[in-house]
mmCIF file with all atom_site columns, all heavy atoms in Angstrom:
data_model
loop_
_atom_site.group_PDB
_atom_site.id
_atom_site.type_symbol
_atom_site.label_atom_id
_atom_site.label_alt_id
_atom_site.label_comp_id
_atom_site.label_asym_id
_atom_site.label_entity_id
_atom_site.label_seq_id
_atom_site.pdbx_PDB_ins_code
_atom_site.Cartn_x
_atom_site.Cartn_y
_atom_site.Cartn_z
_atom_site.occupancy
_atom_site.B_iso_or_equiv
_atom_site.pdbx_formal_charge
_atom_site.auth_seq_id
_atom_site.auth_comp_id
_atom_site.auth_asym_id
_atom_site.auth_atom_id
_atom_site.pdbx_PDB_model_num
ATOM 1   N N   . VAL C 1 62  ? 40.567 3.810  -24.093 1.00 66.00 ? 89  VAL C N   1
ATOM 2   C CA  . VAL C 1 62  ? 40.813 4.728  -22.979 1.00 66.00 ? 89  VAL C CA  1
ATOM 3   C C   . VAL C 1 62  ? 40.955 3.931  -21.675 1.00 66.00 ? 89  VAL C C   1
ATOM 4   O O   . VAL C 1 62  ? 40.298 4.223  -20.677 1.00 66.00 ? 89  VAL C O   1
ATOM 5   C CB  . VAL C 1 62  ? 39.724 5.818  -22.885 1.00 66.00 ? 89  VAL C CB  1
ATOM 6   C CG1 . VAL C 1 62  ? 40.187 6.964  -21.994 1.00 66.00 ? 89  VAL C CG1 1
ATOM 7   C CG2 . VAL C 1 62  ? 39.326 6.350  -24.247 1.00 66.00 ? 89  VAL C CG2 1
ATOM 8   N N   . GLY C 1 69  ? 26.628 5.369  -21.949 1.00 87.00 ? 96  GLY C N   1
ATOM 9   C CA  . GLY C 1 69  ? 26.228 6.761  -21.716 1.00 87.00 ? 96  GLY C CA  1
ATOM 10  C C   . GLY C 1 69  ? 27.315 7.751  -22.077 1.00 87.00 ? 96  GLY C C   1
ATOM 11  O O   . GLY C 1 69  ? 27.024 8.928  -22.302 1.00 87.00 ? 96  GLY C O   1
ATOM 12  N N   . ASP C 1 70  ? 28.579 7.299  -22.132 1.00 90.00 ? 97  ASP C N   1
ATOM 13  C CA  . ASP C 1 70  ? 29.674 8.188  -22.535 1.00 90.00 ? 97  ASP C CA  1
ATOM 14  C C   . ASP C 1 70  ? 29.528 8.532  -24.006 1.00 90.00 ? 97  ASP C C   1
ATOM 15  O O   . ASP C 1 70  ? 28.813 7.871  -24.751 1.00 90.00 ? 97  ASP C O   1
ATOM 16  C CB  . ASP C 1 70  ? 31.038 7.513  -22.327 1.00 90.00 ? 97  ASP C CB  1
ATOM 17  C CG  . ASP C 1 70  ? 31.459 7.461  -20.873 1.00 90.00 ? 97  ASP C CG  1
ATOM 18  O OD1 . ASP C 1 70  ? 30.881 8.192  -20.044 1.00 90.00 ? 97  ASP C OD1 1
ATOM 19  O OD2 . ASP C 1 70  ? 32.383 6.686  -20.565 1.00 90.00 ? 97  ASP C OD2 1
ATOM 20  N N   . ARG C 1 71  ? 30.258 9.554  -24.418 1.00 93.00 ? 98  ARG C N   1
ATOM 21  C CA  . ARG C 1 71  ? 30.335 9.918  -25.831 1.00 93.00 ? 98  ARG C CA  1
ATOM 22  C C   . ARG C 1 71  ? 31.803 9.867  -26.224 1.00 93.00 ? 98  ARG C C   1
ATOM 23  O O   . ARG C 1 71  ? 32.671 10.259 -25.448 1.00 93.00 ? 98  ARG C O   1
ATOM 24  C CB  . ARG C 1 71  ? 29.719 11.282 -26.056 1.00 93.00 ? 98  ARG C CB  1
ATOM 25  C CG  . ARG C 1 71  ? 28.204 11.255 -25.696 1.00 93.00 ? 98  ARG C CG  1
ATOM 26  C CD  . ARG C 1 71  ? 27.462 12.458 -26.154 1.00 93.00 ? 98  ARG C CD  1
ATOM 27  N NE  . ARG C 1 71  ? 27.042 12.421 -27.524 1.00 93.00 ? 98  ARG C NE  1
ATOM 28  C CZ  . ARG C 1 71  ? 25.990 11.742 -27.987 1.00 93.00 ? 98  ARG C CZ  1
ATOM 29  N NH1 . ARG C 1 71  ? 25.273 11.014 -27.187 1.00 93.00 ? 98  ARG C NH1 1
ATOM 30  N NH2 . ARG C 1 71  ? 25.665 11.799 -29.260 1.00 93.00 ? 98  ARG C NH2 1
ATOM 31  N N   . VAL C 1 72  ? 32.054 9.367  -27.433 1.00 94.00 ? 99  VAL C N   1
ATOM 32  C CA  . VAL C 1 72  ? 33.419 9.168  -27.897 1.00 94.00 ? 99  VAL C CA  1
ATOM 33  C C   . VAL C 1 72  ? 33.579 9.648  -29.330 1.00 94.00 ? 99  VAL C C   1
ATOM 34  O O   . VAL C 1 72  ? 32.605 9.806  -30.057 1.00 94.00 ? 99  VAL C O   1
ATOM 35  C CB  . VAL C 1 72  ? 33.833 7.673  -27.819 1.00 94.00 ? 99  VAL C CB  1
ATOM 36  C CG1 . VAL C 1 72  ? 33.858 7.182  -26.383 1.00 94.00 ? 99  VAL C CG1 1
ATOM 37  C CG2 . VAL C 1 72  ? 32.928 6.797  -28.675 1.00 94.00 ? 99  VAL C CG2 1
ATOM 38  N N   . ASP C 1 73  ? 34.832 9.874  -29.710 1.00 95.00 ? 100 ASP C N   1
ATOM 39  C CA  . ASP C 1 73  ? 35.202 10.041 -31.109 1.00 95.00 ? 100 ASP C CA  1
ATOM 40  C C   . ASP C 1 73  ? 35.860 8.734  -31.531 1.00 95.00 ? 100 ASP C C   1
ATOM 41  O O   . ASP C 1 73  ? 36.490 8.047  -30.717 1.00 95.00 ? 100 ASP C O   1
ATOM 42  C CB  . ASP C 1 73  ? 36.195 11.195 -31.291 1.00 95.00 ? 100 ASP C CB  1
ATOM 43  C CG  . ASP C 1 73  ? 35.568 12.555 -31.042 1.00 95.00 ? 100 ASP C CG  1
ATOM 44  O OD1 . ASP C 1 73  ? 34.329 12.646 -30.914 1.00 95.00 ? 100 ASP C OD1 1
ATOM 45  O OD2 . ASP C 1 73  ? 36.329 13.540 -30.976 1.00 95.00 ? 100 ASP C OD2 1
ATOM 46  N N   . GLN C 1 95  ? 32.497 11.527 -34.820 1.00 96.00 ? 122 GLN C N   1
ATOM 47  C CA  . GLN C 1 95  ? 32.643 12.344 -33.619 1.00 96.00 ? 122 GLN C CA  1
ATOM 48  C C   . GLN C 1 95  ? 31.351 12.361 -32.816 1.00 96.00 ? 122 GLN C C   1
ATOM 49  O O   . GLN C 1 95  ? 30.260 12.294 -33.379 1.00 96.00 ? 122 GLN C O   1
ATOM 50  C CB  . GLN C 1 95  ? 33.025 13.781 -33.992 1.00 96.00 ? 122 GLN C CB  1
ATOM 51  C CG  . GLN C 1 95  ? 34.372 13.894 -34.665 1.00 96.00 ? 122 GLN C CG  1
ATOM 52  C CD  . GLN C 1 95  ? 34.755 15.341 -34.934 1.00 96.00 ? 122 GLN C CD  1
ATOM 53  O OE1 . GLN C 1 95  ? 34.415 16.239 -34.171 1.00 96.00 ? 122 GLN C OE1 1
ATOM 54  N NE2 . GLN C 1 95  ? 35.465 15.567 -36.024 1.00 96.00 ? 122 GLN C NE2 1
ATOM 55  N N   . ASN C 1 96  ? 31.505 12.462 -31.504 1.00 96.00 ? 123 ASN C N   1
ATOM 56  C CA  . ASN C 1 96  ? 30.391 12.634 -30.576 1.00 96.00 ? 123 ASN C CA  1
ATOM 57  C C   . ASN C 1 96  ? 29.374 11.489 -30.680 1.00 96.00 ? 123 ASN C C   1
ATOM 58  O O   . ASN C 1 96  ? 28.180 11.709 -30.819 1.00 96.00 ? 123 ASN C O   1
ATOM 59  C CB  . ASN C 1 96  ? 29.713 13.985 -30.792 1.00 96.00 ? 123 ASN C CB  1
ATOM 60  C CG  . ASN C 1 96  ? 28.881 14.402 -29.607 1.00 96.00 ? 123 ASN C CG  1
ATOM 61  O OD1 . ASN C 1 96  ? 29.140 13.999 -28.468 1.00 96.00 ? 123 ASN C OD1 1
ATOM 62  N ND2 . ASN C 1 96  ? 27.868 15.216 -29.842 1.00 96.00 ? 123 ASN C ND2 1
ATOM 63  N N   . ILE C 1 97  ? 29.870 10.268 -30.575 1.00 94.00 ? 124 ILE C N   1
ATOM 64  C CA  . ILE C 1 97  ? 29.047 9.069  -30.711 1.00 94.00 ? 124 ILE C CA  1
ATOM 65  C C   . ILE C 1 97  ? 28.726 8.515  -29.326 1.00 94.00 ? 124 ILE C C   1
ATOM 66  O O   . ILE C 1 97  ? 29.609 8.384  -28.478 1.00 94.00 ? 124 ILE C O   1
ATOM 67  C CB  . ILE C 1 97  ? 29.780 8.003  -31.561 1.00 94.00 ? 124 ILE C CB  1
ATOM 68  C CG1 . ILE C 1 97  ? 30.130 8.570  -32.938 1.00 94.00 ? 124 ILE C CG1 1
ATOM 69  C CG2 . ILE C 1 97  ? 28.969 6.729  -31.657 1.00 94.00 ? 124 ILE C CG2 1
ATOM 70  C CD1 . ILE C 1 97  ? 28.938 8.986  -33.768 1.00 94.00 ? 124 ILE C CD1 1
ATOM 71  N N   . THR C 1 146 ? 38.367 7.949  -28.367 1.00 91.00 ? 173 THR C N   1
ATOM 72  C CA  . THR C 1 146 ? 38.758 9.038  -27.483 1.00 91.00 ? 173 THR C CA  1
ATOM 73  C C   . THR C 1 146 ? 37.517 9.475  -26.719 1.00 91.00 ? 173 THR C C   1
ATOM 74  O O   . THR C 1 146 ? 36.468 9.702  -27.313 1.00 91.00 ? 173 THR C O   1
ATOM 75  C CB  . THR C 1 146 ? 39.372 10.228 -28.255 1.00 91.00 ? 173 THR C CB  1
ATOM 76  O OG1 . THR C 1 146 ? 38.441 10.697 -29.225 1.00 91.00 ? 173 THR C OG1 1
ATOM 77  C CG2 . THR C 1 146 ? 40.667 9.819  -28.943 1.00 91.00 ? 173 THR C CG2 1
ATOM 78  N N   . LEU C 1 147 ? 37.651 9.532  -25.417 1.00 91.00 ? 174 LEU C N   1
ATOM 79  C CA  . LEU C 1 147 ? 36.534 9.878  -24.537 1.00 91.00 ? 174 LEU C CA  1
ATOM 80  C C   . LEU C 1 147 ? 36.323 11.382 -24.555 1.00 91.00 ? 174 LEU C C   1
ATOM 81  O O   . LEU C 1 147 ? 37.271 12.162 -24.469 1.00 91.00 ? 174 LEU C O   1
ATOM 82  C CB  . LEU C 1 147 ? 36.854 9.387  -23.116 1.00 91.00 ? 174 LEU C CB  1
ATOM 83  C CG  . LEU C 1 147 ? 35.777 9.514  -22.066 1.00 91.00 ? 174 LEU C CG  1
ATOM 84  C CD1 . LEU C 1 147 ? 34.550 8.700  -22.450 1.00 91.00 ? 174 LEU C CD1 1
ATOM 85  C CD2 . LEU C 1 147 ? 36.329 9.022  -20.719 1.00 91.00 ? 174 LEU C CD2 1
ATOM 86  N N   . ARG C 1 148 ? 35.077 11.797 -24.656 1.00 92.00 ? 175 ARG C N   1
ATOM 87  C CA  . ARG C 1 148 ? 34.732 13.215 -24.709 1.00 92.00 ? 175 ARG C CA  1
ATOM 88  C C   . ARG C 1 148 ? 34.191 13.696 -23.364 1.00 92.00 ? 175 ARG C C   1
ATOM 89  O O   . ARG C 1 148 ? 33.569 12.939 -22.632 1.00 92.00 ? 175 ARG C O   1
ATOM 90  C CB  . ARG C 1 148 ? 33.660 13.450 -25.772 1.00 92.00 ? 175 ARG C CB  1
ATOM 91  C CG  . ARG C 1 148 ? 34.102 13.130 -27.174 1.00 92.00 ? 175 ARG C CG  1
ATOM 92  C CD  . ARG C 1 148 ? 32.972 13.382 -28.129 1.00 92.00 ? 175 ARG C CD  1
ATOM 93  N NE  . ARG C 1 148 ? 32.679 14.804 -28.219 1.00 92.00 ? 175 ARG C NE  1
ATOM 94  C CZ  . ARG C 1 148 ? 33.025 15.582 -29.234 1.00 92.00 ? 175 ARG C CZ  1
ATOM 95  N NH1 . ARG C 1 148 ? 33.688 15.081 -30.250 1.00 92.00 ? 175 ARG C NH1 1
ATOM 96  N NH2 . ARG C 1 148 ? 32.702 16.847 -29.253 1.00 92.00 ? 175 ARG C NH2 1
ATOM 97  N N   . ASN C 1 149 ? 34.360 14.973 -23.111 1.00 90.00 ? 176 ASN C N   1
ATOM 98  C CA  . ASN C 1 149 ? 33.710 15.608 -21.984 1.00 90.00 ? 176 ASN C CA  1
ATOM 99  C C   . ASN C 1 149 ? 32.212 15.628 -22.293 1.00 90.00 ? 176 ASN C C   1
ATOM 100 O O   . ASN C 1 149 ? 31.819 15.959 -23.413 1.00 90.00 ? 176 ASN C O   1
ATOM 101 C CB  . ASN C 1 149 ? 34.237 17.038 -21.826 1.00 90.00 ? 176 ASN C CB  1
ATOM 102 C CG  . ASN C 1 149 ? 33.622 17.767 -20.660 1.00 90.00 ? 176 ASN C CG  1
ATOM 103 O OD1 . ASN C 1 149 ? 32.410 17.917 -20.582 1.00 90.00 ? 176 ASN C OD1 1
ATOM 104 N ND2 . ASN C 1 149 ? 34.454 18.213 -19.754 1.00 90.00 ? 176 ASN C ND2 1
ATOM 105 N N   . PRO C 1 150 ? 31.350 15.273 -21.336 1.00 87.00 ? 177 PRO C N   1
ATOM 106 C CA  . PRO C 1 150 ? 29.916 15.211 -21.624 1.00 87.00 ? 177 PRO C CA  1
ATOM 107 C C   . PRO C 1 150 ? 29.310 16.545 -22.067 1.00 87.00 ? 177 PRO C C   1
ATOM 108 O O   . PRO C 1 150 ? 28.266 16.568 -22.712 1.00 87.00 ? 177 PRO C O   1
ATOM 109 C CB  . PRO C 1 150 ? 29.287 14.733 -20.318 1.00 87.00 ? 177 PRO C CB  1
ATOM 110 C CG  . PRO C 1 150 ? 30.356 14.702 -19.309 1.00 87.00 ? 177 PRO C CG  1
ATOM 111 C CD  . PRO C 1 150 ? 31.669 14.883 -19.980 1.00 87.00 ? 177 PRO C CD  1
ATOM 112 N N   . GLU C 1 151 ? 29.951 17.655 -21.749 1.00 91.00 ? 178 GLU C N   1
ATOM 113 C CA  . GLU C 1 151 ? 29.432 18.963 -22.141 1.00 91.00 ? 178 GLU C CA  1
ATOM 114 C C   . GLU C 1 151 ? 29.950 19.423 -23.499 1.00 91.00 ? 178 GLU C C   1
ATOM 115 O O   . GLU C 1 151 ? 29.539 20.454 -24.002 1.00 91.00 ? 178 GLU C O   1
ATOM 116 C CB  . GLU C 1 151 ? 29.779 19.990 -21.068 1.00 91.00 ? 178 GLU C CB  1
ATOM 117 C CG  . GLU C 1 151 ? 29.112 19.677 -19.737 1.00 91.00 ? 178 GLU C CG  1
ATOM 118 C CD  . GLU C 1 151 ? 29.544 20.631 -18.632 1.00 91.00 ? 178 GLU C CD  1
ATOM 119 O OE1 . GLU C 1 151 ? 30.199 21.649 -18.928 1.00 91.00 ? 178 GLU C OE1 1
ATOM 120 O OE2 . GLU C 1 151 ? 29.221 20.342 -17.466 1.00 91.00 ? 178 GLU C OE2 1
ATOM 121 N N   . ASP C 1 152 ? 30.874 18.660 -24.099 1.00 91.00 ? 179 ASP C N   1
ATOM 122 C CA  . ASP C 1 152 ? 31.486 19.035 -25.373 1.00 91.00 ? 179 ASP C CA  1
ATOM 123 C C   . ASP C 1 152 ? 30.816 18.274 -26.512 1.00 91.00 ? 179 ASP C C   1
ATOM 124 O O   . ASP C 1 152 ? 31.050 17.095 -26.713 1.00 91.00 ? 179 ASP C O   1
ATOM 125 C CB  . ASP C 1 152 ? 32.981 18.716 -25.338 1.00 91.00 ? 179 ASP C CB  1
ATOM 126 C CG  . ASP C 1 152 ? 33.683 19.011 -26.644 1.00 91.00 ? 179 ASP C CG  1
ATOM 127 O OD1 . ASP C 1 152 ? 33.089 19.679 -27.515 1.00 91.00 ? 179 ASP C OD1 1
ATOM 128 O OD2 . ASP C 1 152 ? 34.843 18.577 -26.793 1.00 91.00 ? 179 ASP C OD2 1
ATOM 129 N N   . ALA C 1 153 ? 29.958 18.955 -27.262 1.00 88.00 ? 180 ALA C N   1
ATOM 130 C CA  . ALA C 1 153 ? 29.262 18.321 -28.381 1.00 88.00 ? 180 ALA C CA  1
ATOM 131 C C   . ALA C 1 153 ? 29.778 18.818 -29.723 1.00 88.00 ? 180 ALA C C   1
ATOM 132 O O   . ALA C 1 153 ? 29.238 18.470 -30.764 1.00 88.00 ? 180 ALA C O   1
ATOM 133 C CB  . ALA C 1 153 ? 27.761 18.581 -28.264 1.00 88.00 ? 180 ALA C CB  1
ATOM 134 N N   . ASP C 1 154 ? 30.832 19.641 -29.706 1.00 90.00 ? 181 ASP C N   1
ATOM 135 C CA  . ASP C 1 154 ? 31.365 20.201 -30.950 1.00 90.00 ? 181 ASP C CA  1
ATOM 136 C C   . ASP C 1 154 ? 31.969 19.119 -31.836 1.00 90.00 ? 181 ASP C C   1
ATOM 137 O O   . ASP C 1 154 ? 32.555 18.157 -31.346 1.00 90.00 ? 181 ASP C O   1
ATOM 138 C CB  . ASP C 1 154 ? 32.451 21.243 -30.664 1.00 90.00 ? 181 ASP C CB  1
ATOM 139 C CG  . ASP C 1 154 ? 31.888 22.511 -30.053 1.00 90.00 ? 181 ASP C CG  1
ATOM 140 O OD1 . ASP C 1 154 ? 30.675 22.748 -30.185 1.00 90.00 ? 181 ASP C OD1 1
ATOM 141 O OD2 . ASP C 1 154 ? 32.669 23.261 -29.444 1.00 90.00 ? 181 ASP C OD2 1
ATOM 142 N N   . ARG C 1 185 ? 21.216 12.572 -32.141 1.00 45.00 ? 212 ARG C N   1
ATOM 143 C CA  . ARG C 1 185 ? 20.977 12.330 -30.706 1.00 45.00 ? 212 ARG C CA  1
ATOM 144 C C   . ARG C 1 185 ? 19.626 11.814 -30.467 1.00 45.00 ? 212 ARG C C   1
ATOM 145 O O   . ARG C 1 185 ? 18.643 12.035 -30.894 1.00 45.00 ? 212 ARG C O   1
ATOM 146 C CB  . ARG C 1 185 ? 21.179 13.596 -29.905 1.00 45.00 ? 212 ARG C CB  1
ATOM 147 C CG  . ARG C 1 185 ? 22.633 13.915 -29.791 1.00 45.00 ? 212 ARG C CG  1
ATOM 148 C CD  . ARG C 1 185 ? 22.771 15.022 -28.829 1.00 45.00 ? 212 ARG C CD  1
ATOM 149 N NE  . ARG C 1 185 ? 24.166 15.416 -28.866 1.00 45.00 ? 212 ARG C NE  1
ATOM 150 C CZ  . ARG C 1 185 ? 24.697 16.218 -28.029 1.00 45.00 ? 212 ARG C CZ  1
ATOM 151 N NH1 . ARG C 1 185 ? 24.003 16.735 -27.088 1.00 45.00 ? 212 ARG C NH1 1
ATOM 152 N NH2 . ARG C 1 185 ? 25.933 16.542 -28.098 1.00 45.00 ? 212 ARG C NH2 1
#
Side-chain angles (χ1 to χ4, degrees):
V89 196
D97 285 344
R98 297 192 83 78
V99 296
D100 291 350
Q122 296 184 33
N123 199 26
I124 302 298
T173 57
L174 186 61
R175 296 179 68 104
N176 181 302
E178 296 175 11
D179 177 12
D181 290 340
R212 286 189 187 190

